[in-house]
Structure formats: structure tokens, C-alpha cells
Amino acid sequence: MPQHSREVAFIGAGNMGEALIQGLVDSGRAADRLAIADTRPERVEALQGRFPGLGAGSPEELAGDTGILVLAVKPQTLPEVAPTLRDAVASGDPLVVSVAAGVTTARLGEWLGPQARIVRAMPNTPALVGAGVTGLFAGPGVGEEDRRAATALMEAVGRALWVEDEELMHAVTATSGSGPAYVFLIIEAMQAAAEELGLPAQTARELTLGTLAGATRLAANSPEDAAELRRRVTSPGGTTEQALNTLEQGDLRGLLRRAMQAAAARSEELGRG
């Protein structure tokens, strides 16, 4: 096993790369054991200013000298970037963790080489505040030590859950990867409706955010499932029943189902390129 100067290196300095660096530093990793590569020099400089000691270099340099290589670029960019790393991955033998939606371990293996140990990860944007949830899948050749390393990486920004069938990563993408946007849309809609009912904007915002945060916390900590919690809030003939009847008549369940099916289908399309 090669000796590496760095524990984790990131190809791509977007929000997810930044969130993971922040999480790793907050959990005790030294910034000088981390490094980043990006096509935008100003972005790299900004992160180095925020995390003193953070290393930088070309993608090829980092791929050949790190224990974990995180591919944090857009899936449309990977066909250009990944093949250029093939020789460096072969010599440096890092564990490769890809956060690109839809791109399979098989395709990554075609670009990076058959010896590459690849983990697919689907984190989400709450990772920016340490509250993310990540779905993980281990490709061929990924051992238990690799799994532990990938788990520790993603638990630096929240929770990490493994799936054993790669096809399920499309469902993970549709559920947790894209899921925060569904919640943000609900926040927008609830806040706007509250303002239309006469509440001041700040009051509407705080009531909306507090309600969603509290309901989520209650659901997470209750032994009852969401359906039972909903029933307990819904008094016959009351205000909640009227609201829920309106949502059911508008086919809220069907809309969510179709939205998630569309997200999963797009994940499959991205995987096919």
C-alpha cells in the first residue's frame, strides 16, 4: 500500500467539497492532511484562506498521493476528468469516492482502471450544516476497511447509510439527494400562504421553519410512524382535517411519487451519459 502525503483529496471545490472539508476539520482532521483541485484558482485560494494549511495541486498530482480521492464534480464533467486520472489512480491506489449523481461504478471503472476501488456516494446539501444524510454503495474490490473509511468521511457531515444494490442509488438520489429541494419548496409555499393569511413575513418564516423542524424531530424521536403521528394531530371535523382533505384532493401523494420517479429517471439518464 503506497504511503500518502494526504488523507483526503478533493477534485472539485463546490459546495459539497467545501462541506466535507469543513466537516473533516471540525471532527479533528488537520487541514494540511487535506487537499483540493479545481479549475477556478480563486475558489481554491478562498478555501485555503478559510482552512489554513489546506493543500492544492493538479487533479493528477492529488490522485497519486492521497488515501481517499473524492470526485466532487458534476456528472456531466466526469467523462472529461476521470480518464485523465487513470495512471495516477493506478500508482497511488486511493479509495475513490464519487459524489456524481447517476454515474455507476462500472463506468467509473472504465475510466479509472479495473483495479480502482470505487464507492458511490449520494450526499445532500444539509451536509453544509452537518445535518446531511448520504447513501453509499461499494463497487467491486472495496473491502471492510474501505467501507469504514468511506463511512467516516461522510459521517463528518451527518449520517451515512449503505445500500447493497447499485440500482437503489437512483432511489437514494430521488429521496435524500434531491429531497431537500422538496422541503424548501414546501417552506416557500407555507410561508407565502401564511403571509397571504395576514402574518408578517418574519413571523410566517419562523412559524414555518419551527413547525417543520419540530415535526421532523418528533417523527425522528417517536416510536410511532408518520401516519400515526398524523392521525394524532387530526381531530375529526377540525382545522387539520380540513387542510389534509384539501391536500389529498390535490393528490399530494401522487405528485410526490411522480416527482421522485422523475428524479430517479434523470439519475438513470445521467448514468448512461
Side-chain angles (χ1 to χ4, degrees):
M1 183 72 69
Q3 293 297 311
H4 301 114
S5 300
R6 301 177 178 92
E7 294 179 25
V8 187
F10 298 84
I11 310 300
N15 286 338
M16 194 53 62
E18 181 177 0
L20 285 166
I21 292 170
Q22 180 70 67
L24 289 169
V25 170
D26 287 348
S27 64
R29 303 282 185 104
D32 62 7
R33 296 290 291 161
L34 311 175
I36 196 154
D38 196 273
T39 56
R40 301 163 294 171
E42 70 281 1
R43 178 64 174 155
V44 173
E45 290 173 7
L47 289 176
Q48 288 182 311
R50 183 175 172 188
F51 304 104
L54 177 67
S58 72
E60 294 82 2
E61 289 170 344
L62 299 189
D65 189 24
T66 188
I68 300 175
L69 180 69
V70 181
L71 301 179
V73 299
K74 296 182 184 301
Q76 298 91 331
T77 307
L78 265 185
E80 302 171 16
V81 174
T84 68
L85 306 176
R86 188 184 184 99
D87 291 344
V89 167
S91 62
D93 192 31
L95 172 65
V96 178
V97 178
S98 169
V99 300
V103 183
T104 66
T105 56
R107 288 196 74 200
L108 287 163
E110 290 173 5
W111 297 324
L112 297 174
Q115 82 295 329
R117 302 174 348 267
I118 300 167
V119 169
R120 273 181 70 183
M122 176 45 58
N124 60 10
T125 55
L128 292 167
V129 293
V133 60
T134 300
L136 294 165
F137 172 78
V142 172
E144 285 304 313
E145 184 176 345
D146 294 326
R147 282 178 174 252
R148 286 192 292 272
T151 299
L153 172 69
M154 290 305 172
E155 284 185 343
V157 292
R159 299 182 62 198
L161 306 170
W162 289 88
V163 297
E164 301 306 321
D165 180 349
E166 188 165 10
E167 282 298 308
L168 292 177
M169 289 298 288
H170 301 306
V172 170
T173 299
T175 303
S176 57
S178 299
Y182 316 153
V183 177
F184 299 147
L185 179 58
I186 291 171
I187 292 170
E188 285 184 70
M190 282 184 66
Q191 184 174 339
E195 291 179 35
E196 289 175 8
L197 288 169
L199 289 173
Q202 186 60 29
T203 303
R205 171 181 167 81
E206 290 185 21
L207 286 173
T208 298
L209 293 176
T211 297
L212 288 169
T216 301
R217 183 174 177 182
L218 176 59
N221 288 279
S222 174
E224 307 291 349
D225 61 20
E228 178 58 27
L229 293 174
R230 171 178 53 80
R231 284 190 288 269
R232 290 186 178 186
V233 172
T234 310
S235 302
T239 59
T240 306
E241 184 181 68
Q242 289 298 305
L244 292 178
N245 285 344
T246 301
L247 291 173
E248 294 285 12
Q249 289 165 11
D251 193 26
L252 176 65
R253 296 172 192 268
L255 281 172
L256 278 173
R257 182 174 63 253
R258 292 190 294 276
M260 292 174 67
Q261 288 170 341
R266 179 57 177 155
S267 176
E268 293 181 17
E269 290 174 3
L270 289 171
R272 292 193 295 269

